[in-house]
Every structure is written in C-alpha cells, then in structure tokens.
Amino acid sequence: MLHASRSLIRTSSDLHTSIRNSSSTKHVFACVLGSGVAGSSVAYHLTKRNIKDVLLLERASDGDFGVHGVASPSGTSFHSPGLVSASHPAHRYKPILAHSIELYSKLEAETGVNIDFQPTGTIRLATNETRLAEFRKYVNRDYYKEGDVCKTTLLTPDQVRELAPDVDHSKILGALHTTNDGTISARALTQALVVGAKNGGAQVIDGAIPKEIKYDKEKGHWIIALEDGTLVTTRNLINAGGIWANDIARLSGHALPVVVVEHQYAVLTPNKTPGPTPAIIDHDSTFYVRKSGDDYLFGGFESLEKTVIREDWYKKGVPTEGSKSIQADFSRLDDAYKRACDLIPGLQGSKVDARAAVFSMTPDGYPLVGPYDKNYWMSTGFLDGVSSGGGIGKYLADWIVDGEPPAELFDTDASRYERWGDRKFFTERSRETYSMYYNWSYTDRSAGRPTDRISGVYGRLKKDGASFSFRNGWEVANSFNMGVQNEEYLPTLIREYEMVTNKCGVIDLSWKGKIEVKGNDAEKLMDYAIASQIPALGKISSGLMLTRHGGILGPMMIFHHDRQRSAFILLTEPERESRDLYWLRRAAAEKKFDVQVSIVSEYLASLALVGPKSREVLSALTKSDVSDEGFPQKSTRMIRLGPVGVVCARSSTSTGQLSYELFHNRAETAKLYNAVMSAGREHGIVNFGQAALNMMRLEHGYKIWGKELTLDTNPFECGIGGLVDFEKKEFIGRESALELKKKDFDRRLALITFDTEEGCVLDDRYVPSGNEVIRIDGKEARVGQITSGAYNVRLQKPIAFAWIDNAVGKNERLVVDIGDKRLFATSLETPTIPPIQ
C-alpha cells in the first residue's frame, strides 16, 4: 500500500520545524484535497454530521463561479454531461444513487444555488434482443417500494414514442425507463455543495496546491505543506483530487490504480428547438444525449481502438491546464453520432460544437472510496461522479465519523488492487471498461487477464476445459466442459455435481483470501476482533467479525496449528481481504496489541477434495490416520500427501459432503494436484468448479458472504446468531449484538423452491442468480428478494435463498419473474439434505 517515499519529501522533523516557524498553520479534523463533486460532497456531508472542523482545498483559482476555483475548466466536473442516473448494474450501488437524487432535489432550496436539476427521467434504448433481455432482467431484479425515489419499468416502443417523441420508435424493441432521475448542471452542483459545506462551518481555500505530505506517527496526523507556505495538520486526509489524485498521492509515497482517459463530447444545436425529453442512452453504440436549453449535449464512449489513455501524464504528472489542454476530435464519435442521428432523426444537420475533457477512472469503472492508509481516505476515480457523488459523499463521511463502513459496497474498496495490479493491467482493463461502459451484460471481460494471481494448476485446468471467472485478480474455475460436444451449461453443472456427490472431485480454492495473525498477542486480537469462539489447536471453525453496530463485517473460517496460539489463519473472500486487513490492524492498534497482521494469499494455496470417495483418495496418499476417529469433523492435521506437506482441514461446512481442504505452498500446487488426481483416478475423481460448489452449499442451506451475509445484515436475522459467543466479556460489536438478539425483525431469510413444468427442457436462463424480486401471486407489491440461487439436482428444480417479509405466510403462493417467464415459488422448511456433522 505505502510505496517508498520520494526524495522530494522532507522528514517529519523538517515539517515540524516548518509548522513552528509558519505564520499560517491550520489544524483540522478533516482536510479534503479537491473540490469537484466528489470532494465538495464529502465536505458537505461531514458538516451534516456536525463536524465543522473541515478544510476543503482546491488547486485551481479560475473557477466557473468566480469566487472559488470550484468547477474549473481544467478539471472534470466543469465538463460533466450532468446525467443523474438511478440505474446501475450492481444493485447494492442503487441506494447511493438514490441518495444523490434525494439530495439534489432539495439542495437548491437549502443553498440558494440554481443547480438546474431536471427530474426528466432516463430512457435506455433496446435495439436488439440481447439488450431487451438485459433490461427485462434488470426490471425483474429492481426492488422498490412505495415512496422510493425512483422506479424502473420496461417500455414498449409505443410508450417510448409518448415519452420521447423525437426517438424513431420503429427502430427500437423497447426501453428501460427510470423515473425521477434526469439531468443537472454539474458546475452549479459543485458550487451548491461548497456553499452547503461553508454554511455548515467548513473552510474553503482555492489556489491551494500541495507541495509535500507526510504522516506523523507520534501524533497520528497528516501534515500538508502548500506551495504558498501554508501548513495544514489534519487527523483525516481525503484525496478527492480527480485527475490530479495520483499526483497528490505521490507526495506521500503512494501510487493509485487509476488512469486518465480522454473523453469527447459536443454541444449540438439542432435545426428545430427540442421539446421536453428524458435523457437518452443507447447501450450498444454507447452514446448519451440530453436536452440543454435549446441545444443537446451529446457524448459517447469511444471504441477500444479509439480510446486514448494519457499514460504520459501518469509518468510526468497531469499539467495544470488539465482538460483545457485536450484537443477535441469528434471523429472518434462518428459511429456513435451516426447511430444517434438514425435513432433520433432531429439530430441530423445539427451544428456541432466539439469539445473534449479528461476523466480519471479505475480498471473496473468503480471509484476508489474508503481508507487507503492510516486515516488517508480516497474518493476519486469516478466515471459517474455526478450520479454517485452525493451518495458516496455521505457514505464516506459516515465511515470517517463512525469508524466503519455504513453499507456493503465492496466494489469501491480503495485497496482492491493491492498486491496484484500493475500498470499494464490498469491500462488494458481501463481501456476495455471505458469502451464498454454501457455494456451491462458482458461481465466476463478478458483485457489484462490473466494477472500474476493464478494458481499452480491454472494451465492444467484450462487445458481440461475450465471456464474462468475473475475475482479480485484471481482466475477462478467456474465449470468444466469435459470434451462433450455442444453441451449446454446447466447439464454440464449437473454432470459435475453428480460425479462429485457420488464419487469425488477436486476444486482449486487458491483464490480464497487468507490473512495471518501472529505474535505475542495474536490470541488477544482474535478474541477482541472475532465475535465467535476461537478454535482450539487442531480445530477449524466458523467465525464472525461484527461492526460496532452489530452488522456482519465478514464471516470467515479460522484455524491454527501453533501450540503457543500465536499464529492463526483466517479464510476470507478475495474482494474483502483488504477491508478485513484494515479492520484487524485498526483493532490491534486500538488495543496496542503486539501482533503482525498480513495477507498470505499469494503463497498459501489450497485444493479441496470433496465427495464420498475422498477419504479413500486421501488414505492412498498418506500413512496418517484419516478415519472418523483419527481425523474427526472440523479438525486440522499437518500431514504429508505424497511429495507435499500440507495442513489438512476436514470441514463440510460449505459443501455438505465429506471434504478435506489441503493448504500448502503455492509453489507445490502442481505436484499436489498431480498426486491427488493420480490417487483418485480409480475412484472416478473429476475437476469441479464454483458453480457446482454453489449447488452443494444451497442444498444444505449454507449462507455465504456477499449474498446472504453482508454489512447490511446482522447474525440474528440471518439465523446464525449461534456463532456469536456472549460468554466472551469483550469483542467488537458485543453491546449492539446483545440488543439485536432481543429484537424482532420484519423479514426472514428463507429457502424457496420453484415449480417447473413437467417435461420442461433444462435452461439456466430460468434459474435465479440473485436480486430477483418476489411477489405474492396476483399482487404487484414486492415482498422479498432473492439473494442467490442454483439448480437443485435432488429436487430437479431451482432453489434459492431469499429475504421475505415476515407478514407473508409460509404457505403463501409466491411468484418470481426470471427472464421472460413467471415462476411460482414456495418456502422450503428444511434444506434438501442436512450437512455432514
């Protein structure tokens, strides 16, 4: 995380001397670097939490509003198209967007700044069957209730004609319509947020260019030296520098996983003044167009080969002129503009005033939000800064004040590229993400893959027909096509499942996050940070980390093999490992524990042997006793399997099958895999992937993080309250957990199954995957939402976990729209099979 400091940075004692000698020194709780939408929103929301000791620094002095340098033409906010969208492919992101819209709807009245928020709504055009299916899936998963700020519906072409007469409805199949979002003046929005922050007590300095940044370990604050000689000391530093964010980061020895990309847009003056119309987006040609006075504002995301990333600016620094130095080249949008004129004939013959700007972005298109170092916070890398800026500002301000994330938003983790991302990946993936910005359907993207995060058997698994998904840099085997010609996806999974559950299989789990806690106070930290009982030597068990409010920060498996209880391994998820690391280190610092907490995922690999024949395979490889008596459930042993020494953990928690997980040195994965496959050949051993594992865990009712278990839930409503050990006198979240234990909740987590037509053809399009909305048959109101689903081989029908309102009776007939079908669902009182104890 913290790179070697550069020679231009003075020592901490030098800066202390400067502070003593400076006539202009400011001491604040939070200093925000950058006053675009992202930075001004954080400052505004900090003051709403009654934090008045906030300083907002803006490097420019040529702002759009004269008084301050906010919304400078050299930055990004000045050039934003001002689209405010409530639709997003990640549904957990939607509350962020909803807060933005609620805030913008009242901000003008609060600050007196005319932000020109027009809640015209947004339509996204479907010009082919793939896009129509994508939008149908989105609506089926869009959970809203009466009173929610926005609602999405799928429009027919005739309905599009009524709403947006300028669109040639004969050339579309339908559209996704979102109500109450729309457009705004990004420049005025920035000014309004700054005014709101000042009204709340924040100070604002424009023309403030940081020269040096240093962390004072003794005093626990950051020291910022500005070029004009002013010095700032702050408990919390928030880097919201936009296109200059990486230059700011370098002053403290950091480097950010961001790129600066050019963006082409134009003001179009049509021959006829446009009438009222929603904002219009076409996902296939990637253009957007919105009404702006008597003109249109038009832009698009260039194709892969035309996308320009300014790596020269990364190496040399972003020039002071920033966006003002970019030359407009509207020819890059020729295809998008031609398509726009075809779909919106009124654009033809418009006068084109071509413009250009630069944006900062990350490889996956999500911003960097949250802690990056000791009280060093990030809020940068936005491609949708206006849409999400209001909500993200509140999210980050709440995190800073409360000391914990207020909602599950792991997609934006500021440290998610740590330990594996490099500039080659950042540029290649960012170029692909930018060019496919509106392509929600195609998520298995190939640019920059594979990274160094591959297991020792990646090549072998690929050769054996593995298809891979991408998780935080890791290549994760999802399923295997064993040479069966034209086999559909679902039959492939069923075959894998049946082979493993009747014989045995091996799965590569090297991608799992692994954190080591070691040192004299390791056990003390575990007892304090983990709400569950810590396993004894030679045991493995499930544990929970809770927030101080009692929410589920993260479930994990825990084991140790050290008689001094001074070294523990925590198994987590790759998307969460940086957040867990930060949380554990912060808890250790709070209590002044003598421990080292580090991520060991890069060299501690694992394979799992699963199925009724797995013990026989294991026995063929070791002289150790692996019987039930010699190696009971939920225990660990250090044994040698053929040529490789492993820590072998027997646990059926996630599979419901006889299972052994083999932890070993990543350099020996290939040797271990070959030995296991050789010994298992006579027992019918096969490879299997995450999709079949998901089928197994659902049939015995095992809940997982990111689906059923998130920051937005707690152990007691999820039915895992038994993991909270109240015999312990102190652990993080204990008081809140005690209160939650007494509480009645208005929803329940249930397993449901779906009725299928007799003799129907197996089709994975009609298997729920998560977020699908649940209704009572014959009623429109939403009463629940699916968290995850799979096909159940034993029942020969889909099965899913779902949150269901407690007001809904257990015998109620439920319906769920999946694809273009409406399926009937019923609650399942108990899992299909009980897990092995």
Side-chain angles (χ1 to χ4, degrees):
M1 182 179 296
L2 186 61
H3 294 240
S5 299
R6 296 176 175 245
S7 59
L8 61 85
I9 301 176
R10 295 181 290 179
T11 65
S12 182
S13 60
D14 290 335
L15 284 179
H16 285 151
T17 301
S18 298
I19 290 174
R20 288 194 298 270
N21 297 334
S22 174
S23 58
S24 178
T25 302
K26 298 181 180 295
H27 306 276
V28 293
F29 172 80
C31 180
V32 184
L33 282 71
S35 67
V37 172
S40 58
S41 178
V42 176
Y44 170 87
H45 283 96
L46 282 170
T47 64
K48 290 299 180 183
R49 291 297 306 271
N50 205 31
I51 304 295
K52 302 182 182 300
D53 199 11
V54 179
L55 180 62
L56 182 61
L57 303 181
E58 168 56 42
R59 63 177 289 122
S61 56
D62 59 341
D64 194 50
F65 297 91
V67 179
H68 297 292
V70 299
S72 163
S74 57
T76 295
S77 295
F78 178 94
H79 301 273
S80 169
L83 297 175
V84 182
S85 176
S87 297
H88 196 280
H91 284 251
R92 59 187 158 270
Y93 209 72
K94 289 179 62 181
I96 296 292
L97 305 177
H99 176 78
S100 292
I101 293 167
E102 290 185 72
L103 172 65
Y104 301 163
S105 66
K106 63 185 180 183
L107 194 59
E108 183 173 328
E110 177 188 335
T111 64
V113 178
N114 179 12
I115 61 176
D116 193 28
F117 178 50
Q118 302 290 332
T120 57
T122 303
I123 58 172
R124 298 169 183 268
L125 306 178
T127 58
N128 55 60
E129 290 292 345
T130 298
R131 201 64 57 210
L132 188 64
E134 175 186 274
F135 292 161
R136 184 181 292 113
K137 181 178 181 180
Y138 187 94
V139 171
N140 292 345
R141 304 168 80 191
D142 187 23
Y143 192 95
Y144 63 86
K145 290 187 176 180
E146 188 175 348
D148 286 356
V149 64
C150 295
K151 175 182 178 181
T152 57
T153 53
L154 192 62
L155 302 181
T156 65
D158 285 340
Q159 290 172 319
V160 171
R161 178 173 55 183
E162 293 177 11
L163 195 63
D166 292 340
V167 173
D168 185 347
H169 72 287
S170 69
K171 296 179 179 177
I172 64 172
L173 301 180
L176 183 70
H177 177 221
T178 313
T179 60
N180 293 329
D181 59 6
T183 64
I184 201 170
S185 167
R187 309 173 196 177
L189 170 62
T190 308
Q191 178 71 355
L193 289 168
V194 170
V195 169
K198 289 181 65 179
N199 290 345
Q203 304 174 64
V204 182
I205 301 177
D206 64 322
I209 301 178
K211 183 173 66 174
E212 301 172 35
I213 299 175
K214 191 75 176 180
Y215 183 70
D216 185 334
K217 292 183 180 179
E218 293 182 4
K219 296 187 176 180
H221 63 210
W222 289 91
I223 306 169
I224 306 165
L226 304 182
E227 286 191 348
D228 67 358
T230 300
L231 288 173
V232 179
T233 65
T234 180
R235 169 71 175 167
N236 295 284
L237 186 154
I238 299 104
N239 185 343
I243 59 174
W244 290 281
N246 195 59
D247 293 346
I248 292 170
R250 280 176 168 159
L251 296 178
S252 54
H254 297 82
L256 303 184
V258 295
V259 303
V260 175
V261 60
E262 293 187 5
H263 184 75
Q264 304 294 325
Y265 71 105
V267 175
L268 306 179
T269 304
N271 296 321
K272 179 182 176 183
T273 302
T277 185
I280 300 171
I281 294 172
D282 180 49
H283 281 216
D284 287 290
S285 56
T286 70
F287 75 75
Y288 58 82
V289 62
R290 55 157 290 198
K291 186 175 180 292
S292 178
D294 292 337
D295 300 321
Y296 286 112
L297 191 62
F298 174 88
F301 293 85
E302 297 98 301
S303 59
L304 193 69
E305 64 277 6
K306 293 181 180 180
T307 299
V308 176
I309 291 177
R310 299 303 302 262
E311 275 299 274
D312 56 328
W313 287 10
Y314 171 78
K315 296 172 183 176
K316 300 176 183 177
V318 177
T320 302
E321 297 80 8
S323 286
K324 291 196 295 184
S325 66
I326 302 300
Q327 295 296 315
D329 183 4
F330 197 67
S331 66
R332 295 188 206 166
L333 296 180
D334 276 351
D335 292 341
Y337 184 55
K338 289 176 182 176
R339 182 57 173 158
C341 290
D342 186 40
L343 293 171
I344 311 171
L347 295 179
Q348 296 175 10
S350 296
K351 177 185 175 183
V352 178
D353 178 9
R355 303 180 183 184
V358 287
F359 292 83
S360 172
M361 67 172 290
T362 66
D364 58 15
Y366 287 93
L368 303 177
V369 182
Y372 198 64
D373 202 346
K374 308 172 193 72
N375 294 324
Y376 187 118
W377 305 84
M378 300 301 308
S379 186
T380 195
F382 291 85
L383 270 177
D384 63 343
V386 170
S387 291
S388 60
I392 288 291
K394 183 179 188 303
Y395 170 83
L396 186 57
D398 288 344
W399 193 344
I400 292 170
V401 174
D402 296 331
E404 60 188 45
E408 189 62 84
L409 208 61
F410 61 85
D411 315 76
T412 65
D413 188 331
S415 300
R416 62 189 181 273
Y417 296 103
E418 288 294 326
R419 296 168 299 280
W420 63 273
D422 57 23
R423 292 309 300 180
K424 181 176 182 292
F425 176 82
F426 297 157
T427 53
E428 289 183 9
R429 178 54 69 93
S430 295
R431 181 174 284 108
E432 180 185 59
T433 297
Y434 179 86
S435 66
M436 301 177 70
Y437 182 65
Y438 287 132
N439 193 330
W440 293 353
S441 294
Y442 183 61
T443 55
D444 188 24
R445 299 178 180 179
S446 59
R449 294 172 59 183
T451 69
D452 289 339
R453 277 192 154 184
I454 55 174
S455 82
V457 290
Y458 167 74
R460 171 68 181 273
L461 300 183
K462 187 175 182 180
K463 182 179 179 181
D464 286 347
S467 63
F468 295 90
S469 58
F470 189 70
R471 294 188 62 177
N472 205 44
W474 287 101
E475 295 293 334
V476 179
N478 191 57
S479 63
F480 290 81
N481 186 333
M482 298 181 180
V484 181
Q485 293 293 322
N486 302 318
E487 186 177 45
E488 297 292 335
Y489 180 63
L490 192 52
T492 294
L493 298 188
I494 293 172
R495 175 175 44 77
E496 269 182 45
Y497 169 91
E498 290 178 333
M499 290 293 290
V500 175
T501 56
N502 288 309
K503 296 181 179 180
C504 62
V506 63
I507 183 171
D508 181 10
L509 297 176
S510 299
W511 52 269
K512 283 280 189 180
K514 305 170 193 75
I515 297 176
E516 183 179 51
V517 177
K518 65 180 181 178
N520 293 330
D521 293 332
E523 188 172 7
K524 291 180 181 179
L525 174 59
M526 296 295 291
D527 266 327
Y528 178 61
I530 307 295
S532 311
Q533 186 178 40
I534 306 305
L537 177 68
K539 296 293 183 180
I540 184 169
S541 65
S542 300
L544 286 176
M545 283 199 300
L546 303 181
T547 68
R548 299 189 187 280
H549 290 93
I552 297 176
L553 185 75
M556 52 187 53
M557 298 298 290
I558 304 166
F559 71 89
H560 79 104
H561 51 275
D562 169 40
R563 294 190 181 278
Q564 285 71 44
R565 290 178 72 78
S566 62
F568 293 83
I569 297 294
L570 287 68
L571 306 179
T572 180
E573 301 296 327
E575 298 86 353
R576 210 184 70 219
E577 62 182 3
S578 291
R579 186 176 77 185
D580 290 350
L581 180 73
Y582 175 84
W583 185 264
L584 289 164
R585 285 179 172 175
R586 183 165 178 163
E590 175 193 340
K591 291 292 188 177
K592 296 182 171 56
F593 288 144
D594 177 17
V595 292
Q596 299 82 50
V597 185
S598 55
I599 290 176
V600 295
S601 309
E602 310 307 320
Y603 65 83
L604 183 60
S606 70
L607 300 174
L609 185 59
V610 179
K613 300 288 186 180
S614 57
R615 180 183 283 121
E616 297 173 46
V617 176
L618 206 62
S619 297
L621 291 168
T622 184
K623 296 179 180 179
S624 299
D625 182 2
V626 295
S627 66
D628 277 333
E629 295 76 20
F631 198 170
Q633 176 72 319
K634 296 185 179 179
S635 60
T636 63
R637 298 286 186 271
M638 296 186 71
I639 61 177
R640 177 163 289 276
L641 295 180
V644 180
V646 305
V647 175
C648 182
R650 180 184 170 189
S651 174
S652 303
T653 305
S654 62
T655 64
Q657 305 288 324
L658 180 63
S659 304
Y660 302 91
E661 189 163 358
L662 316 174
F663 298 94
H664 60 280
N665 189 309
R666 183 179 173 189
E668 297 188 301
T669 300
K671 286 193 291 185
L672 178 61
Y673 175 86
N674 289 335
V676 170
M677 294 301 283
S678 178
R681 191 170 295 116
E682 65 179 282
H683 301 289
I685 195 170
V686 296
N687 290 304
F688 73 103
Q690 282 305 294
L693 181 62
N694 188 54
M695 296 168 78
M696 293 178 205
R697 67 98 185 172
L698 274 166
E699 72 177 356
H700 76 274
Y702 181 67
K703 300 150 189 166
I704 61 173
W705 174 81
K707 300 295 186 179
E708 291 75 44
L709 313 177
T710 71
L711 265 172
D712 307 313
T713 63
N714 68 73
F716 306 98
E717 67 174 348
C718 291
I720 57 172
L723 289 177
V724 181
D725 181 12
F726 288 111
E727 294 297 316
K728 299 201 302 184
K729 299 302 180 184
E730 183 184 23
F731 58 81
I732 296 174
R734 188 177 190 277
E735 291 184 6
S736 296
L738 279 169
E739 293 302 314
L740 288 166
K741 185 180 180 181
K742 305 171 188 174
K743 186 178 178 182
D744 292 326
F745 301 99
D746 59 5
R747 62 177 185 171
R748 65 182 183 272
L749 192 56
L751 275 172
I752 61 174
T753 58
F754 298 83
D755 298 335
T756 54
E757 298 172 9
E758 188 174 347
C760 69
V761 178
L762 294 177
D763 192 331
D764 63 283
R765 290 179 301 169
Y766 304 114
V767 175
S769 57
N771 292 312
E772 291 87 356
V773 169
I774 300 171
R775 300 177 177 86
I776 295 174
D777 187 20
K779 298 181 180 179
E780 179 60 26
R782 273 89 165 140
V783 297
Q785 192 162 28
I786 290 171
T787 58
S788 60
Y791 185 79
N792 188 292
V793 178
R794 296 171 189 269
L795 297 177
Q796 296 188 18
K797 60 178 66 176
I799 187 173
F801 264 123
W803 287 108
I804 299 176
D805 293 352
N806 272 335
V808 178
K810 292 185 178 180
N811 296 321
E812 200 82 61
R813 187 173 170 85
L814 307 174
V815 294
V816 180
D817 292 327
I818 302 177
D820 58 358
K821 287 190 176 183
R822 173 160 288 190
L823 301 184
F824 294 99
T826 54
S827 294
L828 192 64
E829 291 299 321
T830 58
T832 313
I833 60 168
I836 294 175
Q837 298 301 319

